Amino acid sequence: MTLSSTATADHIYATGLRNQWHAVVPSHFVAPGAMRKVTALGEQWLLFRRADGALSMLADRCPHRGAPLSLGKHLGDRIACWYHGVEVETDGTVSSVPALPGCNLEGKRLVTSLPVREVQGAVLAYFGDEEHPEPCELTLPEPLTDPEVDAFLCYAEWNVPWRYAMENLLDPMHGAFLHHDSHTMFDGDTTAKFRIRETGRGYFFEKTDQRGVNFDWVELCRTGVDWVDLSIPYPPSAGPGGPFGIVGMACPVDESRTGVFFWRYRRVQDWQRASWRFLYRTLIEKRHWEVLEQDRAMLEAMPADADQRENLYQHDLGVVRLRRLYRAAAEAQSSGTAQPSATAQSPAGV
């Protein structure tokens, strides 16, 4: 199994862009010496962790008869298929065919193995197609690598297309209505004007008449992995430190389900870090999950053709830009003209 370079643009648009990195699941989903079946970009995969913690990601398909390796046996540094005992190493190489020693399958790399990295509690994998199997350059979100920033990862799975989850983040105005009763978004105007501001790695979608009050801006970043960054001021009850930020990613599970990753972060040092972590765990985390539940309930209630029967206005410029960018990328990938890159620019004129 591999991600085919002959996939249609509609299939790619529905199940996720190729030739880039995606967050897949939280790292703790796969304990040392364990394995876990996952679905990502509409395909079945097996996450496999050796006892020393090293992680591999294989197509969940035995090269012999196609049986799922996830039903097999963990042998420390390889998987033995339950069906006929064929053993597959962490890089996808068949190491042994017990029923027929010396079989011509042995020594061949017959199972797709994806490059993986673990970042701030999440597993990231590079999903290349047949023409681009080598991983593109990956620049991680600064809040996840800055030692002066402390972050908590929140993960959930929503029954929505991945694009809806991303569009929700590129729509700051919903915060003033859907999340009006939250502890951070109760203040500020319920009217606004927006603009798009281009960057070398994506774009800002921001209010022109309000800053530092509510959900006033969001930045889409394309740095080998797609992510968004946003910042919302904290009330005094949240303790010392600056505003809290969110780094968000969305992993397409399949056409109708998405894994959402939200790192809640704050720039804090010394004693402020301990204070922030205590307040987050004892008070703030529950409130954040309540806000996420509001997003989930709204998005899951929307019809499957919601984006086909719309009447958009100025506040939707960020969403329109995102759709055109992703549609253009899907069409380029389906035609074989797209190249992996650490920084993917928006289509000209969008």
Side-chain angles (χ1 to χ4, degrees):
M1 180 187 69
T2 186
L3 296 168
S4 176
S5 56
T6 62
T8 66
D10 285 344
H11 180 74
I12 295 171
Y13 192 62
T15 59
L17 300 180
R18 276 59 171 161
N19 306 329
Q20 67 178 59
W21 296 78
H22 290 276
V24 180
V25 292
S27 291
H28 70 80
F29 276 24
V30 193
M35 55 187 187
R36 185 184 183 105
K37 180 176 182 175
V38 299
T39 305
L41 278 67
E43 304 282 2
Q44 303 300 312
W45 305 93
L46 174 65
L47 284 168
F48 168 69
R49 195 184 293 278
R50 297 188 323 212
D52 64 4
L55 186 70
S56 298
M57 187 167 177
L58 299 173
D60 191 20
R61 186 183 182 95
C62 178
H64 172 219
R65 294 280 301 280
L69 291 172
S70 57
L71 294 179
K73 186 176 181 180
H74 193 305
L75 297 180
D77 60 353
R78 62 200 188 282
I79 300 292
C81 180
W82 191 17
Y83 203 14
H84 296 94
V86 173
E87 298 178 8
V88 180
E89 297 180 359
T90 56
D91 67 350
T93 299
V94 176
S95 60
S96 176
V97 180
L100 186 62
C103 173
N104 64 1
L105 297 183
E106 294 180 349
K108 293 182 179 178
R109 192 172 179 179
L110 299 176
V111 180
T112 300
S113 175
L114 301 186
V116 294
R117 288 186 62 176
E118 295 189 76
V119 179
Q120 279 283 12
V123 176
L124 270 61
Y126 172 76
F127 293 82
D129 62 22
E130 293 157 335
E131 297 180 7
H132 308 98
E134 295 302 317
C136 67
E137 181 182 348
L138 173 63
T139 302
L140 297 171
E142 294 90 344
L144 304 187
T145 60
D146 188 336
E148 295 185 358
V149 171
D150 195 48
F152 291 92
L153 171 60
C154 302
Y155 173 78
E157 292 188 10
W158 294 348
N159 293 318
V160 299
W162 68 280
R163 304 181 315 280
Y164 287 14
M166 291 296 290
E167 289 173 6
N168 185 64
L169 291 168
L170 268 296
D171 174 22
M173 203 63 207
H174 84 268
F177 294 91
L178 182 63
H179 306 314
H180 182 266
D181 294 331
S182 87
H183 69 298
T184 55
M185 286 183 266
F186 63 91
D187 202 6
D189 292 334
T190 54
T191 60
K193 290 185 179 180
F194 285 86
R195 69 177 180 183
I196 289 175
R197 178 161 54 90
E198 302 289 347
T199 70
R201 61 186 187 180
Y203 63 90
F204 279 92
F205 188 55
E206 57 192 3
K207 295 177 182 177
T208 62
D209 45 7
Q210 179 175 291
R211 193 78 169 188
V213 178
N214 201 316
F215 184 3
D216 296 331
W217 62 270
V218 61
E219 182 187 9
L220 173 72
C221 305
R222 310 200 70 205
T223 61
V225 61
D226 286 7
W227 53 285
V228 299
D229 189 23
L230 61 95
S231 179
I232 299 175
Y234 260 153
S237 60
F244 88 92
I246 297 176
V247 166
M249 298 181 189
C251 178
V253 174
D254 53 33
E255 294 186 6
S256 59
R257 191 165 177 81
T258 302
V260 292
F261 296 76
F262 298 101
W263 284 269
R264 271 65 177 271
Y265 70 85
R266 202 173 188 186
R267 184 171 292 277
V268 285
Q269 302 176 44
D270 303 324
W271 67 271
Q272 291 185 351
R273 182 178 296 247
S275 176
W276 143 252
R277 295 188 68 82
F278 174 78
L279 285 170
Y280 184 84
R281 287 304 192 192
T282 58
L283 178 65
I284 300 169
E285 184 174 26
K286 179 178 180 293
R287 295 174 176 177
H288 281 173
W289 277 110
E290 290 171 353
V291 171
L292 282 184
E293 275 298 292
Q294 292 168 350
D295 285 321
R296 183 199 60 78
M298 180 58 68
L299 294 177
E300 288 188 352
M302 293 172 67
D305 64 348
D307 58 349
Q308 304 301 310
R309 301 184 182 185
E310 299 173 315
N311 296 279
L312 305 180
Y313 52 88
Q314 199 264 352
H315 290 179
D316 303 308
L317 287 175
V319 170
V320 171
R321 170 65 64 86
L322 186 73
R323 289 177 181 174
R324 291 180 179 175
L325 189 156
Y326 282 161
R327 172 57 72 173
E331 291 175 353
Q333 289 180 11
S334 69
S335 67
T337 60
Q339 294 292 325
S341 97
T343 303
Q345 298 292 337
S346 303
V350 177

